[in-house]
Amino acid sequence: MFGYGRKNFTWNGTLRELEGSWSSRRRPSMTASPSSSSGIEVLLSTLQNAGDVESTLNILNVLDELLSAGTDRRIHYMISKGGSEALLTALVNTGRSFSPNYTILLPLLHLLAKVGHRDRRIGVKAEDAGAALLTLNLLRHNVKHARRAAACLWVIQVFSSSVSTANLIGANHGLDVIYRLIPHYTTQHLHAIKAAIDAFAALLCTKANVSLVVSKGYVSGLLRLYENWHGKGSQHAAVPICHSLLRCLHKVTHSTVGRQEFVSQGGIRLLYGTTQTCLLSKGLESLVEPSVQLMRKCLPITPLPLTSDQSAYNFPLPGRSHAVPDMDAEPDENSEESDDEEAEENKEADFDDDLETDLNKLRLRPDPDRPKELLPQYSRLCPELSHDFQELGLRSEPEESSTGSSSSSSDEEAVLLNRFPFHTSRRDRGRSAAGSDSSTSSPGSHSETEPKGHTPAAAQLEARDFHSHSSILSTSPSSRTKVREARDEAHLGQRGDNQDDVEEDADESQHRTMIDRLLERHGACIPHHEPKLYRAAAAKTKSIPGFSILAFPDFWGHLPPPEHEPMPPRKSNIQRQKVFEDAQRFLTTDGIINQVVFDLEDSSLQCPSDSLRFFSKFECGNLRKAVQVRRYEYDLILNADANTNQHTQWFYFEVSNMVADVPYRFNVINCEKSNSQFNYGMQPVLYSVREALEGRPHWVRTGTEICYYRNHFCAARGRRRTTFYTLTFTITFKHNEDVCYLAYHYPYTYSALKAHLKVLQKLVDPAKVFFQQQVLCGTLAGNPCPVVTITACPASRAWRDIHQLRNRPCIVLTGRVHPGESNASWVMKGTLEFLCSSDPVAQSLREAFVFKLIPMLNPDGVINGTNRCDLNSEDLNRQWCKPDPVLSPTIYHTKGLLYYLKSIGRTPLVFCDYHGHSRKKNVFLYGCSVKETLWQSGSAVNTVGLKEDPGYRTIPKTLDRLAPAFSFNSCNYLVEKSRSATARVVVWREMGVLRSYTMESTHNGCDQGIYKGLQTGTRELQDMGAEFCHSLLSVTKDLKALYSQRLIRHIDLDHNVLDHKSHNCFEDDEPPCVEEIEYSTDCPALKGADLDSDVNSNTASADEEEEGDEGRRGEKHRQSSGNGLLFPHLMRQASDEMLGEKRNTCTSVSVNGQILS
Ligand SMILES: [Zn+2]
């Protein structure tokens, strides 16, 4: 709204006419209107052709009234009708003359700023019209007229939304003009100063302009300006200027040269200092966040302190002479950070493209990936079909179970021998162990963990073996002492023995005695866990580095803590505080130690006696390096997945030599996911050996000041992918010199699975439960991948009962294809235990179904502590279309088993692959539906005639009622192209399994139901596994109908079921975090409304009479400055009312701008 009219003017009639044209926009078909040009078009055309000042002013006035009164839609409408072009033409016509008429130019510029700000193509249009340089020229001539200059600057700002226009203005010294005019103004001209800085910031959207600014040394000038304005303290007026300056600095630092200049000009130090002040003053608080983000962004890029990004674990793949090389070792010198952050933000915005819309691909089954002849081999994995149940009736002899186990081990041998001819048989292994040293060959000894080829020398083995056994308790002498003390307290009088324990030459049997005694004294009674079985299982596990040490928690066992663990409330400004501390590291050397205290590849490393000790060379462990940064702060670097240089996220390591009651800060500095539930209430887990020995063998959620944010580290060798994130958390240990374990999530090792299956096998009632463990295949490293069959034994050997058993539909459950998702294993553990239990539901499920479980699809990955991949550096859950029999054996044979079941008419009724989820809360399922995919994608395919069985919703709906952690609303049934090679999609599409799911369990906790606000523990995860079984009852009901007809009913989907919004955007099987979080990465962008209010305030004041009191800028009832101009606020009000629905007051604007009523 402007008040420039020297002559008086009313436009009542036209306003109504115009209103008519606005509203016509809402009608669907505007072309149907008989009138070819709307009121606005008439106005615009008049504006461009108007010769005289008065009518131009009138039109500008009317336009401004209209645009000020409505929403942005009006402006967009005007833009669509050529509004920007008309204004630009008028600008050029007026501005070109020798002495431009500012009476017209000023309102024209103001209007152009408002409209242009909403026109994405304004820059290009301005260039076309020749308005860009003209405006710059006008600015040059009006440096001394603050008000005119401000108007030009706003227009330059909006023009700069186009890169080419910004470059044009930059190349014509626009940046110099603006930079130099800033000091011309005093605090009396705040508008002009702010307009100048904002225009300057806008021009910095291009690399060329940033380089220019850097080369001219303007960055240091901007920093000094910031310092000055900041020094004006909490004077309200200074804050917006400071914000604008920070915006400039943010723009400059989008590029590498800008960041370097910022740092070399002391930018970080300056901001560090000013921010300290901000924190103390309420008025300046808003400057903290953008300053902190600037510091975070500009901390000099530092390579990770590694000699290679390649994993410390390399495994020679069959058929390849060397491990996968560093794929993109070429350093990218000129890598710009500029687009990265934006790119990441936008990356997740629209995933609809990913939905499969090709109906053929959705419905047609591809040909099998292998010849039929290869399928009969899988008949061995269906022992229930050939078993004759001879043993039924011989109750006293649990023969079935023993047959099962003996057949399983011979099976295991056979498969492994077959697959890995180089592998020694068990007998050979026994012999070699016995040959090396009889003292180490006792059953369960760790010598067996050393596969051939990993054994350097018998002597070393012996030493290691000793180490392993003592390290079952601890890995450092001091912590061993601690453990011994704990033991002594409970068991005085055994001192002599205990001292022997630490002697280097202590002998195996004594170790065993010690462990036995410890277990006897301190061992908790943990259901389904036997430490000795675990040790025996671990002894056979083959790892790349040849692990010989057990992590205490896996060996000893874990009991969920008695209490639920709530998500700790997130303290505000944690990230800010951590970035401060990080910046401090850069600014000062005081208290900075920076010493490597652990290196997975350098066991000879000596660490100072007062530092923490780290260790991770055990199953699932994956700490690669630890650097002591300050006295109580450590940077931790995770090992990349074996044979790769990436996928770091999962961690598990041992820490000891701590001082109690001191907060230690840990920074895992090479995380890769762009966000994490660690920002939303999730805590890592900790296990204390001391606590375990005192009867509390719990993994507990722990840590304070947890935060996850992008950091300044890059890959060690300039790998292209340079973005890393820091997970920081602080831990205050309870005991001095304890031995503790820290992990991303509750660890669950491969050996734990093996031991667990052994325990189950021993526990099941062989008369009731048919439980058979077999080997699906050997893995690349030669570990057997177990497959378990569970069903009910037939009631008798009568034909009818045997027939019933052999016709039970199959349910296939798989899990842990992603090693970092240990929660999947805990859920699977719950499922296994429930299915073997005496629960009546379990009994009826066993009677109704045959369960085939492959609890760990990726044993090698799990063992070697990888996060995502198998040893062939592939994500196995992307291999299902054509799995390689040699490189992805577990997937190849799981798919083979499924093909086989299909080929004998036993296509599974349900398939579910258990996963873990690091970025969402709750537990939920992903399924597959043609119709939902087509609907969600907005596909034009007519789905009316499409038949689809809605049965895929039964299980999720049942779970929603049964399982407190389950969230139906988080489920979706969309088929994405990027997921076309996952288990869920392939089993659905190729095998025709209607109920084919991925079950995602949160790493964090729940935000609904009775677990709301709680983190999940292993108890809840196991319960989930049992509840999943319960939900399978819901598909038994129709069994008779289904199987008598041998058909699945085709019914139309019940549309009412679709009462929730499906989410369909995810990455790595995971949707992004949806919650709001203090996780900003940039200055907030200048909003249209801000610009408008700046422009409006410029309008209201008289030419060249700048107001000093900025505090009143926003006041609505500003007084007229008294030279006969209109009352802008009253005008606004008037036009609002005229255009609004409340017309009964019948107002109009008089010649003097007064309200007539
Ligand atoms: Zn997964």
Side-chain angles (χ1 to χ4, degrees):
M1 155 110 15
F2 302 109
Y4 300 96
R6 303 278 164 169
K7 293 287 162 75
N8 307 317
F9 174 70
T10 42
W11 196 288
N12 294 336
T14 315
L15 275 174
R16 282 193 195 96
E17 279 168 28
L18 285 166
E19 173 65 5
S21 83
W22 298 117
S23 55
S24 75
R25 187 180 168 272
R26 286 173 213 129
R27 278 179 230 129
S29 158
M30 280 179 51
T31 48
S33 163
S35 141
S36 60
S37 55
S38 62
I40 190 84
E41 284 168 305
V42 174
L43 267 184
L44 292 174
S45 125
T46 320
L47 175 68
Q48 292 176 81
N49 303 314
D52 65 305
V53 174
E54 252 172 60
S55 43
T56 307
L57 273 179
N58 282 344
I59 294 167
L60 290 174
N61 228 336
V62 171
L63 283 174
D64 187 56
E65 268 179 50
L66 282 168
L67 301 182
S68 306
T71 61
D72 277 7
R73 286 173 68 177
R74 290 186 174 185
I75 296 184
H76 289 298
Y77 179 69
M78 174 173 155
I79 291 168
S80 74
K81 291 292 166 197
S84 305
E85 288 86 344
L87 292 171
L88 289 165
T89 310
L91 173 67
V92 172
N93 290 342
T94 319
R96 234 186 230 148
S97 69
F98 181 69
S99 59
N101 183 343
Y102 284 94
T103 315
I104 294 180
L105 268 183
L106 218 46
L108 189 56
L109 288 167
H110 286 155
L111 196 55
L112 197 51
K114 287 184 179 183
V115 173
H117 195 71
R118 286 144 175 107
D119 183 350
R120 274 199 282 172
R121 302 194 59 247
I122 189 70
V124 181
K125 290 176 183 173
E127 255 185 273
D128 291 348
L133 294 181
L134 180 117
T135 312
L136 179 60
N137 238 0
L138 286 175
L139 174 66
R140 279 199 180 101
H141 289 111
N142 287 290
V143 170
K144 294 205 173 103
H145 300 268
R147 197 164 162 228
R148 292 179 190 172
C152 294
L153 286 162
W154 284 316
V155 171
I156 288 175
Q157 185 193 326
V158 300
F159 286 174
S160 303
S161 63
S162 143
V163 169
S164 83
T165 318
N167 278 337
L168 181 72
I169 295 172
N172 283 280
H173 306 288
L175 285 157
D176 308 288
V177 173
I178 298 171
Y179 182 78
R180 282 187 213 121
L181 69 77
I182 298 173
H184 277 285
Y185 304 126
T186 63
T187 42
Q188 295 298 301
H189 305 103
L190 284 169
H191 284 138
I193 297 174
K194 186 162 180 302
I197 299 170
D198 285 340
F200 199 81
L203 284 166
L204 293 176
C205 66
T206 80
K207 255 191 200 177
N209 284 349
V210 169
S211 306
L212 219 128
V213 164
V214 169
S215 68
K216 299 210 170 175
Y218 293 166
V219 174
S220 101
L222 288 172
L223 285 168
R224 299 292 85 79
L225 264 179
Y226 183 76
E227 200 173 12
N228 284 338
W229 279 98
H230 195 274
K232 296 185 198 299
S234 52
Q235 282 174 40
H236 188 57
V239 175
I241 306 271
C242 286
H243 270 288
S244 294
L245 283 165
L246 286 174
R247 199 173 297 124
C248 277
L249 292 169
H250 261 286
K251 289 284 190 75
V252 169
T253 54
H254 270 331
S255 81
T256 312
V257 278
R259 281 196 296 276
Q260 286 165 351
E261 178 74 358
F262 177 84
V263 173
S264 68
Q265 294 301 325
I268 295 182
R269 194 173 296 277
L270 171 70
L271 286 187
Y272 188 83
T274 54
T275 312
Q276 302 287 353
T277 326
C278 293
L279 285 171
L280 301 173
S281 158
K282 205 141 200 202
L284 298 175
E285 240 272 327
S286 66
L287 295 173
V288 174
E289 191 59 31
S291 305
V292 165
Q293 292 302 342
L294 247 175
M295 281 191 268
R296 185 190 58 78
K297 194 163 96 179
C298 294
L299 285 174
I301 298 291
T302 312
L304 291 173
L306 294 174
T307 47
S308 163
D309 301 306
Q310 197 67 27
S311 170
Y313 295 161
N314 273 302
F315 183 81
L317 295 171
R320 292 188 210 171
S321 47
H322 299 289
V324 187
D326 229 339
M327 244 100 59
D328 29 24
E330 273 303 294
D332 184 23
E333 302 274 329
N334 293 322
S335 78
E336 297 277 313
E337 199 194 0
S338 55
D339 301 326
D340 288 3
E341 299 199 1
E342 275 98 320
E344 263 164 43
E345 279 152 27
N346 297 336
K347 201 164 56 181
E348 291 165 343
D350 185 15
F351 271 71
D352 269 14
D353 284 356
D354 192 26
L355 292 178
E356 184 58 77
T357 51
D358 183 338
L359 196 55
N360 284 334
K361 285 193 179 157
L362 285 169
R363 302 199 90 195
L364 292 184
R365 285 177 198 170
D367 292 332
D369 66 11
R370 65 197 83 186
K372 256 191 217 149
E373 298 73 54
L374 289 177
L375 301 183
Q377 59 172 308
Y378 298 103
S379 63
R380 74 176 177 89
L381 297 179
C382 295
E384 76 285 2
L385 296 181
S386 53
H387 200 88
D388 57 8
F389 296 93
Q390 291 270 11
E391 68 279 6
L392 280 183
L394 301 168
R395 283 287 155 94
S396 53
E397 292 277 314
E399 208 180 331
E400 181 209 327
S401 149
S402 58
T403 336
S405 65
S406 71
S407 87
S408 107
S409 32
S410 63
D411 200 14
E412 177 174 324
E413 296 281 307
V415 169
L416 291 174
L417 279 173
N418 195 15
R419 185 146 289 285
F420 299 95
F422 57 85
H423 188 80
T424 52
S425 73
R426 174 176 298 183
R427 206 156 7 115
D428 290 343
R429 267 185 281 144
R431 213 182 299 137
S432 75
S436 63
D437 189 334
S438 58
S439 69
T440 59
S441 66
S442 53
S445 137
H446 280 269
S447 56
E448 278 192 74
T449 65
E450 298 291 336
K452 284 240 148 196
H454 285 298
T455 359
Q460 201 184 336
L461 213 167
E462 211 182 332
R464 258 200 204 167
D465 211 42
F466 166 78
H467 188 45
S468 90
H469 281 194
S470 44
S471 71
I472 281 171
L473 304 177
S474 64
T475 54
S476 62
S478 53
S479 48
R480 238 179 282 156
T481 315
K482 209 64 216 165
V483 170
R484 201 172 59 236
E485 279 169 18
R487 202 174 61 224
D488 291 348
E489 281 164 23
H491 190 57
L492 292 167
Q494 297 288 330
R495 191 160 292 273
D497 283 356
N498 297 334
Q499 273 162 353
D500 284 349
D501 292 342
V502 271
E503 298 298 322
E504 284 290 320
D505 58 351
D507 118 308
E508 170 65 26
S509 59
Q510 270 174 301
H511 282 301
R512 288 188 45 72
T513 325
M514 176 191 83
I515 289 158
D516 290 345
R517 216 177 282 142
L518 253 178
L519 282 169
E520 217 173 277
R521 305 274 161 206
H522 301 278
C525 181
I526 293 169
H528 296 99
H529 181 77
E530 288 180 27
K532 288 176 188 172
L533 265 182
Y534 181 84
R535 192 174 52 188
K540 287 193 233 159
T541 298
K542 294 174 195 66
S543 60
I544 297 175
F547 295 138
S548 58
I549 290 172
L550 303 181
F552 187 89
D554 303 317
F555 166 72
W556 196 258
H558 147 79
L559 268 183
E563 304 287 321
H564 281 296
E565 295 171 284
M567 293 173 205
R570 187 183 162 85
K571 278 197 253 158
S572 55
N573 304 329
I574 292 286
Q575 187 193 336
R576 186 187 281 187
Q577 187 190 323
K578 297 299 162 187
V579 172
F580 265 151
E581 291 178 21
D582 292 352
Q584 220 166 21
R585 245 157 97 171
F586 166 74
L587 293 171
T588 169
T589 50
D590 294 352
I592 302 296
I593 297 170
N594 268 344
Q595 184 174 8
V596 176
V597 295
F598 168 74
D599 187 341
L600 185 61
E601 291 154 293
D602 179 9
S603 47
S604 64
L605 188 91
Q606 296 291 318
C607 72
S609 58
D610 62 347
S611 92
L612 288 178
R613 307 263 156 77
F614 293 87
F615 188 75
S616 73
K617 214 165 175 179
F618 48 75
E619 216 179 317
C620 295
N622 86 333
L623 183 64
R624 179 161 188 180
K625 210 164 192 174
V627 181
Q628 184 174 20
V629 178
R630 296 182 173 99
R631 179 90 196 272
Y632 298 113
E633 181 177 351
Y634 293 83
D635 276 356
L636 308 176
I637 300 163
L638 307 179
N639 192 19
D641 280 8
N643 283 2
T644 79
N645 56 15
Q646 52 185 336
H647 303 297
T648 43
Q649 200 77 17
W650 161 265
F651 61 85
Y652 182 19
F653 59 86
E654 182 197 272
V655 57
S656 57
N657 204 36
M658 63 283 283
V659 180
D661 302 322
V662 171
Y664 286 90
R665 178 179 169 186
F666 295 94
N667 311 308
V668 181
I669 58 171
N670 63 338
C671 296
E672 287 185 17
K673 291 207 168 172
S674 58
N675 204 347
S676 162
Q677 279 289 330
F678 282 119
N679 273 334
Y680 307 91
M682 172 170 157
Q683 294 172 294
V685 293
L686 176 137
Y687 188 106
S688 151
V689 171
R690 172 76 179 271
E691 288 283 303
L693 291 175
E694 289 176 14
R696 294 178 293 278
H698 309 309
W699 277 109
V700 291
R701 299 276 190 169
T702 194
T704 54
E705 302 186 22
I706 300 171
C707 183
Y708 190 93
Y709 56 92
R710 184 169 172 168
N711 63 30
H712 61 290
F713 287 100
C714 68
R717 287 175 56 199
R719 184 155 56 98
R720 184 95 179 85
R721 188 205 145 96
T722 51
T723 310
F724 286 116
Y725 296 81
T726 291
L727 161 65
T728 180
F729 54 88
T730 298
I731 296 207
T732 308
F733 296 100
K734 209 169 152 185
H735 307 288
N736 276 319
E737 305 210 346
D738 194 356
V739 179
C740 290
Y741 291 80
L742 277 163
Y744 179 77
H745 195 71
Y746 308 96
Y748 190 97
T749 64
Y750 168 73
S751 301
L753 171 70
K754 297 275 286 176
H756 185 226
L757 292 176
K758 278 252 154 62
V759 170
L760 283 176
Q761 189 149 21
K762 284 204 295 186
L763 289 180
V764 292
D765 176 354
K768 284 189 176 153
V769 186
F770 179 89
F771 178 100
Q772 192 151 127
Q773 190 200 149
Q774 294 173 290
V775 176
L776 176 75
C777 61
T779 64
L780 278 173
N783 290 296
C785 174
V787 53
V788 180
T789 302
I790 300 173
T791 191
C793 291
S796 74
R797 293 186 62 206
W799 179 85
R800 196 171 36 103
D801 290 334
I802 297 283
H803 180 77
Q804 193 273 341
L805 180 149
R806 291 182 182 169
N807 279 290
R808 289 175 193 163
C810 243
I811 289 180
V812 176
L813 306 174
T814 59
R816 202 73 187 277
V817 71
H818 294 141
E821 297 166 0
S822 61
N823 34 6
S825 280
W826 290 97
V827 178
M828 185 57 84
K829 184 174 190 281
T831 294
L832 277 163
E833 282 169 19
F834 181 78
L835 288 178
C836 293
S837 73
S838 56
D839 188 293
V841 172
Q843 176 63 23
S844 45
L845 285 170
R846 288 192 298 263
E847 284 164 9
F849 303 112
V850 173
F851 290 89
K852 301 251 169 232
L853 301 99
I854 303 163
M856 201 172 272
L857 283 170
N858 192 352
D860 290 346
V862 169
I863 293 164
N864 295 292
T866 71
N867 179 61
R868 188 79 181 167
C869 295
D870 190 11
L871 301 187
N872 66 353
S873 66
E874 297 284 358
D875 178 344
L876 288 181
N877 203 30
R878 295 292 181 278
Q879 307 298 312
W880 280 76
C881 280
K882 262 202 166 304
D884 186 294
V886 177
L887 294 175
S888 310
T890 58
I891 305 302
Y892 178 82
H893 292 292
T894 304
K895 200 176 170 188
L897 172 61
L898 288 160
Y899 272 133
Y900 173 72
L901 290 171
K902 184 169 175 246
S903 75
I904 58 167
R906 297 172 51 75
T907 300
L909 188 65
V910 178
F911 170 85
C912 188
D913 191 22
Y914 292 12
H915 283 250
H917 208 299
S918 67
R919 300 213 264 182
K920 280 192 88 182
K921 295 193 168 71
N922 311 315
V923 180
F924 49 94
L925 292 176
Y926 292 136
C928 302
S929 155
V930 174
K931 284 199 165 186
E932 295 202 30
T933 305
L934 292 175
W935 288 337
Q936 186 77 25
S937 68
S939 155
V941 177
N942 183 3
T943 52
V944 174
L946 264 180
K947 300 284 184 200
E948 185 170 61
D949 185 336
Y952 63 89
R953 283 175 165 267
T954 317
I955 289 174
K957 274 199 264 181
T958 313
L959 277 174
D960 198 42
R961 286 195 293 269
L962 279 179
F966 193 82
S967 163
F968 185 74
N969 286 340
S970 303
C971 299
N972 81 44
Y973 314 92
L974 305 174
V975 182
E976 304 86 355
K977 289 177 206 156
S978 60
R979 304 288 172 273
S980 62
T982 60
R984 160 180 67 103
V985 175
V986 169
V987 172
W988 169 75
R989 181 184 289 154
E990 296 195 28
M991 313 295 164
V993 176
L994 171 73
R995 297 175 182 85
S996 176
Y997 304 104
T998 297
M999 176 153 61
E1000 297 278 4
S1001 302
T1002 179
H1003 281 91
N1004 182 4
C1006 297
D1007 59 8
Q1008 45 85 46
I1010 56 167
Y1011 293 157
K1012 185 174 178 174
L1014 300 176
Q1015 297 181 83
T1016 51
T1018 55
R1019 184 190 289 115
E1020 291 76 28
L1021 292 168
Q1022 287 193 231
D1023 285 351
M1024 189 60 229
E1027 281 144 3
F1028 181 80
C1029 296
H1030 276 267
S1031 78
L1032 294 171
L1033 277 181
S1034 65
V1035 294
T1036 57
K1037 278 182 288 180
D1038 339 21
L1039 278 182
K1040 273 183 197 147
L1042 287 177
Y1043 282 82
S1044 61
Q1045 298 165 25
R1046 292 233 156 237
L1047 270 178
I1048 297 203
R1049 285 168 299 146
H1050 287 284
I1051 24 172
D1052 269 320
L1053 259 180
D1054 177 3
H1055 288 235
N1056 298 329
V1057 179
L1058 296 169
D1059 53 357
H1060 69 282
K1061 201 170 167 251
S1062 290
H1063 308 282
N1064 73 316
C1065 40
F1066 37 112
E1067 176 195 295
D1068 300 344
D1069 299 340
E1070 301 183 356
C1073 293
V1074 285
E1075 293 143 283
E1076 288 290 325
I1077 183 144
E1078 172 207 332
Y1079 190 65
S1080 55
T1081 54
D1082 210 346
C1083 260
L1086 192 67
K1087 292 194 183 75
D1090 299 338
L1091 184 81
D1092 288 352
S1093 80
D1094 286 348
V1095 172
N1096 287 341
S1097 53
N1098 205 36
T1099 314
S1101 52
D1103 200 10
E1104 321 299 11
E1105 278 180 41
E1106 302 292 332
E1107 277 194 55
D1109 184 3
E1110 284 297 307
R1112 286 168 56 203
R1113 193 159 56 107
E1115 282 179 28
K1116 275 206 164 176
H1117 300 283
R1118 182 190 298 278
Q1119 292 298 310
S1120 147
S1121 38
N1123 57 356
L1125 299 185
L1126 300 178
F1127 293 86
H1129 65 285
L1130 292 178
M1131 270 291 271
R1132 167 90 37 98
Q1133 210 174 325
S1135 66
D1136 276 351
E1137 283 163 16
M1138 285 155 78
L1139 294 163
E1141 279 159 11
K1142 295 178 200 160
R1143 286 179 177 241
N1144 50 351
T1145 50
C1146 187
T1147 50
S1148 62
V1149 184
S1150 81
V1151 287
N1152 287 318
Q1154 286 160 343
I1155 306 296
L1156 303 175
S1157 56

